[in-house]
Amino acid sequence: MTLRSELIGNPDIIRLSASMLDRREGDCGDFAAAKARPDVRPQVFERRRFAPWESFPLGLVMRALDAVEFDGADVEGAVRRAVEDNRDPVHPGAARWILHACRTYLETAESLAAEGGGLRPERHPRIVQRSGSSAEMRALTAWGRWYGSPDGAVVEFRRMRLRRPLGRADDPATLAMAYVAAAGDRAVGGTQDLYRSVPVPVREPGADPARVRVVEVGLTDGTAAVLVDAAPEDVRRAYLASARPVATGLLAGGHRSPGGDCADCKLRASCGTLPRTPGLLGLPDRGTHRRTWSITTSRQYQICPAQAHMRDLRLPADDSESTAVRRGLLVHQWLETVHSRPGAGPCTSDDLPDPETGDLAWAGSSVSRDDYRQAWPYLLQHLRVCPLADGEVTQVTPEPRVAAYDTDADVLVIANPDLLRRVDGRLVYREQKTSAVHPGITAENALELVPQLALAVCLIADGAFGDTGGLVEMEQLTPVSGEVITFDVAEPEVLATARAVVSDRVRAWHRDTDFSPAPGPWCRVCPVTRWCPDSFDAGDGAPLVLDGLVIDPVTGEILRASGLAGSRAAAVAEAIATPVTDDEPAL
């Protein structure tokens, strides 16, 4: 581990949660290595500030299920007590999802108990640990619910998924969970003891299991997937061969990649790869606690504060995929592919397969010919405005992840430009959008209607990329046109407008602690409306008419634009057309 010079404490105490092995390629390695060492901390003390609301609804699901399974409580009463007795206030939308999740889980649990041979819930979670003293420990844990047969022959671990099962039998995290079930000892206390004691006191070993199961349960859709059902010796072999090398690499750390992890990272204060941009958001204070903000957050909050909060809590969203969504994703995929080629030059018609007969192998198996046929006219228009066509183009980076920390506001800002490049040595930041008709976005209103452009201006001006000058572009594609709007960060009027837009988008969110709903016609396209007790009955599927925009409620397509559209209307259209993917927390 390379963290010793930045942190103090004992790095030889290691507590690794099996779900951490789900980390994706490109995620920060040093964040995970530091998180797995609970006794290390920054050299300079920093008082941690906590959210003044319940930020982990899944914890309340576990608490209510404990009351049902171990104390005989009814589910409605257990959820009500868990919410009412909680230290921090629980948002009404979260409370509604918690009740749904508990009901769904208990219904699923009945069939799982029968499959496993009469399984019973177990109070004492399992842990694999090797400890020579209180100064050294290596432990592997699994956060979820535990079950066993009366004779101890069957041990089952159930991983809770917010929406639906996602794992595979050969995932390192799945194999690690199975290993904890096969080789772990039962803790004397409950789940909290796993994270407080070194070493963790365990009960006397019982009978060795003859069968180990790992099951994922979807708390929203009620489905269950049995990922592992095997003998312990088979589980051990699979873990040692495929999961332990991943765990070893994770604990070693060794690379850093700024992103969403930075907000909770022990290395944030000393990390040289996270840009510091004091004053980026133009806020007068540090708000309630450290938070993460992006233009997606802004868009959701502008439509409805309750929607933004429920999405921040990761409450499952309704599925939303339309032709416009698929088209936008395909265009971005194609652009990323062709712009990523070593030594790539400007896109040409030779790069575009014929929509009827061409080879779509570049796109993989996920793209159908029908979807490509829909995207093809937009890609043709891109040829006219390809960013690799002008000047000496270097350092081309498609779809990078950008993070910057506003130390004045205590906010981690996340951005996802479609392309970064240098043209004749000058930084250029490009966003790209497709629409069936021209959406009415011009150089005069683009910073307001497409606030990610304003954020890009501010990020460059405040040195998030090293330079404090450069260009910001927006590429607009329709089936019959392609154009680029360009802003020079050095122009005082551009920078002043951009700073005003960003500050206006973030100010109310930064101080909000209630996240009250703002019901309206947009409720019928809200991805979390099913959890909102104040959802507005918006009627049938007729087009939405908001501030001069006529919007298809299914695709987000702007069907007609008349006059100057308002920013909320633009946010609604963008939210429909670019839905946010559910992201499961690593527990």
Side-chain angles (χ1 to χ4, degrees):
M1 186 182 72
T2 60
L3 315 177
R4 295 178 186 272
S5 63
E6 298 176 69
L7 302 172
I8 58 175
N10 185 355
D12 295 324
I13 296 176
I14 295 173
R15 185 186 294 117
L16 178 62
S17 176
S19 64
M20 286 289 286
L21 302 188
D22 275 337
R23 291 180 65 75
R24 295 160 290 199
E25 184 179 356
D27 286 347
C28 182
D30 278 355
F31 165 81
K35 183 176 181 179
R37 291 171 166 86
D39 196 54
V40 300
R41 57 195 181 279
Q43 292 195 19
V44 178
F45 173 76
E46 180 181 55
R47 183 177 65 86
R48 184 176 180 183
R49 300 188 300 158
F50 294 91
W53 55 79
E54 178 54 55
S55 59
F56 186 49
L58 195 52
L60 296 186
V61 172
M62 290 286 279
R63 190 184 307 170
L65 291 177
D66 283 349
V68 172
E69 292 191 329
F70 303 131
D71 302 329
D74 67 277
V75 62
E76 286 78 11
V79 169
R80 183 175 59 254
R81 283 189 294 275
V83 170
E84 292 177 352
D85 296 345
N86 199 50
R87 179 186 63 184
D88 298 314
V90 180
H91 192 274
R96 182 176 261 195
W97 176 79
I98 291 166
L99 178 58
H100 173 89
C102 289
R103 286 171 170 165
T104 300
Y105 179 84
L106 292 169
E107 290 172 2
T108 307
E110 291 183 8
S111 59
L112 289 175
E115 285 181 26
L119 298 178
R120 301 183 301 190
E122 294 184 347
R123 285 183 180 270
H124 306 286
R126 295 174 185 255
I127 180 172
V128 175
Q129 63 180 339
R130 303 290 180 264
S131 178
S133 70
S134 60
E136 183 179 5
M137 180 182 79
R138 297 177 71 88
L140 179 65
T141 65
W143 194 92
R145 301 197 69 77
W146 290 94
Y147 297 82
S149 61
D151 61 0
V154 181
V155 174
E156 179 169 296
F157 173 75
R158 296 182 192 164
R159 185 179 190 181
M160 320 284 274
R161 292 292 199 177
L162 297 179
R163 183 184 181 87
R164 63 169 71 92
L166 297 172
R168 300 181 307 178
D170 59 353
D171 286 340
T174 302
L175 297 176
M177 292 169 188
Y179 183 66
V180 176
D185 296 312
R186 290 193 292 169
V188 169
T191 301
Q192 292 303 318
D193 285 355
L194 295 182
Y195 305 101
R196 291 175 179 167
S197 303
V198 177
V200 176
V202 296
R203 298 164 67 88
E204 288 295 324
D208 291 335
R211 181 183 175 199
V212 170
R213 287 165 53 95
V214 174
V215 182
E216 288 197 356
V217 180
L219 297 178
T220 298
D221 71 359
T223 58
V226 179
L227 302 183
V228 176
D229 192 339
E233 54 270 23
D234 294 333
V235 167
R236 287 187 178 90
R237 279 195 295 269
Y239 170 78
L240 293 174
S242 301
R244 190 163 71 170
V246 176
T248 300
L250 185 148
L251 293 173
H255 76 276
R256 298 190 181 180
S257 178
D261 290 331
C262 296
D264 296 320
C265 185
K266 299 176 183 181
L267 295 158
R268 179 186 43 78
S270 59
C271 182
T273 60
L274 174 64
R276 269 75 172 170
T277 52
L280 171 67
L281 300 177
L283 296 171
D285 56 54
R286 292 170 63 81
T288 57
H289 64 295
R290 183 173 305 119
R291 303 171 67 185
T292 299
W293 181 86
S294 68
I295 289 300
T296 298
T297 311
S298 164
R299 182 187 307 133
Q300 293 165 348
Y301 189 87
Q302 187 173 22
I303 297 169
C304 173
Q307 179 188 142
H309 185 63
M310 286 188 276
R311 297 302 285 137
D312 187 52
L313 295 176
R314 294 172 168 157
L315 298 191
D318 289 335
D319 284 324
S320 176
E321 185 173 276
S322 64
T323 55
V325 172
R326 293 194 298 272
R327 181 196 68 218
L329 291 174
L330 193 151
V331 169
H332 277 84
Q333 182 182 356
W334 184 83
L335 294 177
E336 182 178 7
T337 299
V338 296
H339 293 161
S340 297
R341 297 173 299 183
C347 300
T348 70
S349 56
D350 292 338
D351 296 317
L352 281 175
D354 184 274
E356 304 303 329
T357 61
D359 181 7
L360 303 184
W362 63 269
S365 60
S366 61
V367 174
S368 71
R369 192 164 296 278
D370 284 345
D371 287 343
Y372 177 68
R373 192 180 293 114
Q374 293 290 325
W376 190 68
Y378 299 84
L379 296 173
L380 278 178
Q381 296 303 321
H382 168 78
L383 302 182
R384 303 171 49 196
V385 293
C386 177
L388 306 188
D390 298 322
E392 182 184 356
V393 180
T394 58
Q395 299 181 32
V396 177
T397 310
E399 307 281 347
R401 177 177 55 189
V402 175
Y405 178 48
D406 184 340
T407 53
D408 290 350
D410 200 15
V411 173
L412 179 72
V413 178
I414 303 294
N416 296 282
D418 291 321
L419 186 77
L420 291 178
R421 71 192 193 282
R422 290 186 179 273
V423 179
D424 299 326
R426 193 179 193 189
L427 178 67
V428 186
Y429 183 124
R430 178 173 284 208
E431 294 284 355
Q432 181 272 327
K433 293 191 175 300
T434 64
S435 56
V437 300
H438 196 287
I441 298 172
T442 66
E444 289 70 32
N445 62 22
L447 293 175
E448 171 71 20
L449 296 183
V450 190
Q452 51 265 55
L453 302 175
L455 178 59
V457 169
C458 296
L459 284 167
I460 294 174
D462 288 348
F465 305 97
D467 303 48
T468 56
L471 302 177
V472 174
E473 301 175 332
M474 189 184 76
E475 174 183 337
Q476 293 191 97
L477 302 177
T478 75
V480 296
S481 66
E483 64 175 346
V484 176
I485 299 173
T486 303
F487 298 97
D488 189 335
V489 175
E491 293 183 9
E493 184 177 352
V494 168
L495 182 56
T497 301
R499 290 203 186 281
V501 168
V502 169
S503 178
D504 180 65
R505 289 294 191 278
V506 74
R507 189 181 303 111
W509 168 87
H510 192 233
R511 298 298 303 176
D512 199 347
T513 59
D514 296 326
F515 300 98
S516 299
W522 41 85
C523 286
R524 66 182 161 115
V525 295
C526 173
V528 288
T529 191
R530 66 187 296 192
W531 314 125
C532 181
D534 298 292
S535 178
F536 177 76
D537 184 2
D540 58 21
L544 292 170
V545 181
L546 301 172
D547 300 337
L549 292 186
V550 180
I551 305 168
D552 186 318
V554 175
T555 67
E557 293 279 21
I558 296 173
L559 305 176
R560 188 167 64 253
S562 59
L564 184 62
S567 57
R568 176 182 262 176
V572 170
E574 182 74 6
I576 301 170
T578 55
V580 179
T581 303
D582 284 340
D583 188 19
E584 291 274 343
L587 305 173

